[in-house]
Amino acid sequence: LTKYCELRNISIVKHYREDYSAKNFDRPEFQKLLQFIKANRKEVDLLLFTRWDRFSRNTEESYKMIRVLRKYGVKVDSVEQSLDLEQPDSKIMLAIYLTVPEVENDKNSIRTTEGMRKAKKEGYWVGCAPYGYSNCKTPEGKPTLKPNEKASLVKEAFKQMAQGIFSANEIRKKLQKKGLTLAKQAFLNMLRNPVYCGKIYIKEWKKEDAETVDGVHPALITEETFKRVQDIFSGKKKRD
């Protein structure tokens, strides 16, 4: 970028670098860039980047941002895919440059989702470990979970909740004294998560219904205990 500017006698007013995804314009550095342009309207007339997929991978948002920058008197252009947007024919190439990366993003997203769903259906845990577990690998290198030092607090929480004597928040406050660090809603979410009885819940997707499968990770509580807690939440089982 610097060499490109030197060869074309373009004065560099400001240089921004960021590692965030180009899927949208909420990126921290881009927002700083935009604020600088707004505050220095007469100093900036060009926003330069390497490729259009570095500007954005969202076609609709790209067109909106180009119009916003144009209002501030700023043109946008790419070093490797240079376009004169004042020329009508350039809009055809712009559409291609913006759409191809977005299509690739969509394809990658679908492949990732399909891969994660396949792993979940086989009982493997993908994503961050829930409270009381740590991420680990099976001997075959598949992602799963193992209990950690907080597992005993999870067991006690379910045990007390299944007794139906105290409310969930009362139990949470008591366990805080023993080291529990969950907020009220996070604690409720934990008590509703079937992962603790060895199950993995898979959300519905496209034409596939939601389902719950057996996980390969060790359970912290029995299915009976988990069901009793859910019955208490739903009102099917009254607290004693």
Side-chain angles (χ1 to χ4, degrees):
L1 285 169
T2 302
K3 191 67 176 177
Y4 182 92
C5 292
E6 290 175 353
L7 292 173
R8 288 161 180 76
N9 295 317
I10 298 173
S11 298
I12 301 174
V13 179
K14 198 84 171 175
H15 182 197
Y16 292 86
R17 180 195 299 270
E18 68 179 355
D19 295 322
Y20 277 73
S21 170
K23 288 188 294 185
N24 55 58
F25 290 103
D26 293 335
R27 292 125 52 189
E29 289 303 305
F30 194 92
Q31 287 302 308
K32 291 179 184 178
L33 178 154
L34 197 58
Q35 291 302 316
F36 181 83
I37 289 175
K38 291 178 180 179
N40 301 273
R41 297 183 64 165
K42 295 183 179 180
E43 294 185 41
V44 184
D45 58 12
L46 174 66
L47 172 57
L48 193 65
F49 37 86
T50 52
R51 296 172 58 86
W52 282 97
D53 61 0
R54 298 300 85 207
F55 178 65
S56 175
R57 287 175 173 263
N58 185 314
T59 305
E60 182 180 355
E61 293 301 318
S62 294
Y63 284 121
K64 289 180 181 178
M65 184 54 66
I66 289 172
R67 287 194 291 270
V68 169
L69 292 169
R70 189 175 292 159
K71 289 180 181 178
Y72 291 108
V74 178
K75 296 180 181 180
V76 294
D77 200 9
S78 159
V79 170
E80 298 178 25
Q81 301 164 322
S82 184
L83 293 173
D84 181 1
L85 298 184
E86 298 298 322
Q87 299 298 320
D89 290 345
S90 294
K91 294 180 180 179
I92 298 174
M93 290 306 300
L94 175 62
I96 294 173
Y97 289 149
L98 292 176
T99 304
V100 170
E102 184 174 12
V103 170
E104 285 300 315
N105 255 13
D106 291 345
K107 289 164 65 177
N108 289 337
S109 177
I110 291 172
R111 284 195 290 265
T112 299
T113 301
E114 289 177 342
M116 292 176 68
R117 289 183 68 83
K118 182 176 182 296
K120 285 182 177 180
K121 288 181 178 181
E122 294 174 354
Y124 301 110
W125 183 267
V126 291
C128 295
Y131 192 83
Y133 282 108
S134 297
N135 292 105
C136 67
K137 299 282 188 180
T138 66
E140 297 75 31
K142 300 288 187 178
T144 188
L145 302 168
K146 64 179 180 180
N148 61 24
E149 68 281 357
K150 300 294 184 181
S152 60
L153 292 173
V154 175
K155 293 178 182 179
E156 188 169 350
F158 274 97
K159 180 181 178 181
Q160 290 194 31
M161 193 68 203
Q163 291 174 350
I165 301 173
F166 301 102
S167 70
N169 201 40
E170 288 173 328
I171 295 170
R172 183 182 69 89
K173 289 180 178 179
K174 288 199 299 181
L175 292 178
Q176 281 181 330
K177 299 176 182 179
K178 297 184 178 182
L180 185 80
T181 56
L182 295 178
K184 183 177 180 179
Q185 188 58 53
F187 185 71
L188 290 173
N189 292 342
M190 181 191 79
L191 292 173
R192 292 189 173 100
N193 195 338
V195 69
Y196 296 105
C197 66
K199 304 290 185 178
I200 294 178
Y201 175 73
I202 305 172
K203 296 180 180 179
E204 64 178 32
W205 188 62
K206 293 185 177 180
K207 295 182 179 180
E208 297 180 12
D209 294 330
E211 61 178 311
T212 301
V213 301
D214 292 329
V216 301
H217 63 280
L220 298 184
I221 60 170
T222 64
E223 290 185 45
E224 290 75 18
T225 298
F226 182 78
K227 185 178 184 304
R228 180 178 175 83
V229 170
Q230 305 321 301
D231 287 344
I232 290 174
F233 278 133
S234 66
K236 292 180 181 179
K237 182 73 176 180
K238 294 184 178 181
R239 288 190 288 150
D240 299 333

